[in-house]
Amino acid sequence: SQTIHQWPATLVQPVGSPLSLECTVEGTSNPNLYWYRQAAGRGLQLLFYSVGIGQISSEVPQNLSASRPQDRQFILSSKKLLLSDSGFYLCAWSLFEDTQYFGPGTRLTVL
Amino acid sequence: QKEVEQDPGPLSVPEGAIVSLNCTYSNSAFQYFMWYRQYSRKGPELLMYTYSSGNKEDGRFTAQVDKSSKYISLFIRDSQPSDSATYLCAMSASSGNTGKLIFGQGTTLQVKP
């Protein structure tokens, strides 16, 4: 069966510091991978998606970036965090159908 | 106008009640419809997945899609306190590599013992 991991689970970072969130998927090959952000009381905002190694599509222009160095690894990064980057970051995977499966999430607080 | 509208609630019901959660949408191209359940501080988990119009039942949960009205529903029978969570509807127009989903805002449900 497939499993998706995210770490860290919780992160508190000062404004202007860098960020690296990691997501890995087990039990499947060549998944589509997604990064979402969920702000308090709001819906899911798609940030990036990837259909293969090195292939990244950005949905929202901002100071975040994503990379996919391996088939089942997806990384979300920032060089300098803003207060507005606080939120709940979710990684998801899917195969060719539209159903997406989510990871446990990373709660990021920028102070 | 948002592509997907969902009443954020909160919705509070007594244990054992039938719960109806709904979403409306504007894009007639949507064909794939999903319901996710999200407990506090956890990632969403897939509850129901339907294609096109019709009903789908899984235990106490029934998903309905009415494409003519651009309206989808999730019914929960014999609701339990463990059903207390936020329920997100999601939909997409195409099957294929990207599979980008459009989510509703989520409805918070509280089932009181």
Side-chain angles (χ1 to χ4, degrees), chain B residues 66-83:
Chain B
D66 182 350
K67 291 187 69 179
S68 63
S69 301
K70 298 190 182 67
Y71 189 87
I72 68 171
S73 301
L74 177 71
F75 297 95
I76 307 174
R77 292 184 299 279
D78 188 25
S79 56
Q80 302 295 311
S82 59
D83 295 327

Side-chain angles (χ1 to χ4, degrees), chain A residues 98-101, chain B residues 21 32-37 45-51 54-65 72-77 87-91 101 103:
Chain A
D98 293 82
T99 308
Q100 293 180 15
Y101 299 92
Chain B
L21 304 168
Y32 302 86
F33 304 92
M34 283 135 277
W35 286 95
Y36 289 84
R37 177 175 62 195
E45 61 178 304
L46 181 67
L47 267 183
M48 302 289 281
Y49 171 62
T50 55
Y51 168 70
N55 294 359
K56 184 174 183 178
E57 186 174 323
D58 184 2
R60 295 185 296 111
F61 298 90
T62 300
Q64 285 187 352
V65 175
I72 68 171
S73 301
L74 177 71
F75 297 95
I76 307 174
R77 292 184 299 279
Y87 290 81
L88 299 157
C89 65
M91 48 198 80
L101 299 180
F103 284 86

Side-chain angles (χ1 to χ4, degrees), chain A residues 39-91:
Chain A
R42 300 175 71 176
L44 291 166
Q45 179 187 33
L46 179 64
L47 302 175
F48 301 94
Y49 69 92
S50 171
V51 299
I53 296 174
Q55 300 178 64
I56 309 294
S57 296
S58 174
E59 289 294 303
V60 182
Q62 53 203 326
N63 69 321
L64 299 173
S65 62
S67 62
R68 184 170 178 174
Q70 300 180 41
D71 180 44
R72 290 170 288 180
Q73 184 185 31
F74 207 20
I75 297 172
L76 183 69
S77 304
S78 175
K79 292 182 179 179
K80 289 185 178 182
L81 283 169
L82 306 173
L83 286 174
S84 58
D85 291 324
S86 293
F88 192 42
Y89 287 83
L90 290 158
C91 181

Side-chain angles (χ1 to χ4, degrees), chain A residues 38-44 87-88 107, chain B residues 2 6 8 38 86 88 104-108:
Chain A
Q38 187 176 37
R42 300 175 71 176
L44 291 166
F88 192 42
R107 189 160 302 278
Chain B
K2 293 181 181 178
Q6 185 176 7
Q38 185 176 21
T86 297
L88 299 157
Q105 187 179 358
T107 299
T108 299

